[in-house]
Amino acid sequence: MKRYSIIVDDMQKCLVCNTTQSIHIHEVFYGRGKRTLSIKYGCCVGLCAWHHNGSKDGVHFNKHLDNKLKKFAQKKFIEHYPELNFVKIFGKNYL
């Protein structure tokens, strides 16, 4: 599946620090089939290597950043897909 984002306009820059260097596409919801759902519904963002998985500040190691992105993505999902039930699709309410 082609990745797109309902969260950001430009996935070629880091959502956290705005750099355009070493960008990774991050699926905000991951694990137990949620990665596929993130791709399907556009819950993806660009993150530099540092903020993705290259440091302790990366989203995969920093629970605060991970939860912040999940909350932000859920809000964007609700705006973009008002007819869909986020909790039924992703199995959890992050708000």
Side-chain angles (χ1 to χ4, degrees):
M1 270 188 242
K2 184 177 189 283
R3 287 176 181 86
Y4 69 98
S5 181
I6 63 168
I7 301 166
V8 296
D9 293 329
D10 185 359
M11 286 201 302
Q12 297 306 310
K13 70 178 184 178
C14 180
L15 178 65
V16 178
C17 69
N18 290 320
T19 188
T20 57
Q21 302 298 310
S22 300
I23 298 300
H24 299 189
I25 302 302
H26 172 66
E27 294 82 17
V28 176
F29 305 102
Y30 50 88
R32 298 184 188 217
K34 291 181 185 169
R35 180 177 183 267
T36 302
L37 291 171
S38 283
I39 295 168
K40 178 180 178 178
Y41 291 106
C43 295
C44 302
V45 297
L47 293 174
C48 67
W50 182 265
H51 287 112
H52 187 231
N53 59 6
S55 74
K56 65 178 175 50
D57 295 324
V59 69
H60 288 288
F61 307 107
N62 180 333
K63 277 296 186 196
H64 176 72
L65 178 58
D66 186 45
N67 287 331
K68 187 176 178 178
L69 284 178
K70 284 177 167 68
K71 287 177 185 179
F72 187 54
Q74 182 175 348
K75 288 176 186 177
K76 291 291 189 176
F77 180 96
I78 291 166
E79 289 173 14
H80 196 80
Y81 301 108
E83 72 282 5
L84 299 178
N85 185 315
F86 177 88
V87 175
K88 283 189 179 181
I89 293 169
F90 286 97
K92 185 173 178 180
N93 183 355
Y94 296 93
L95 300 178

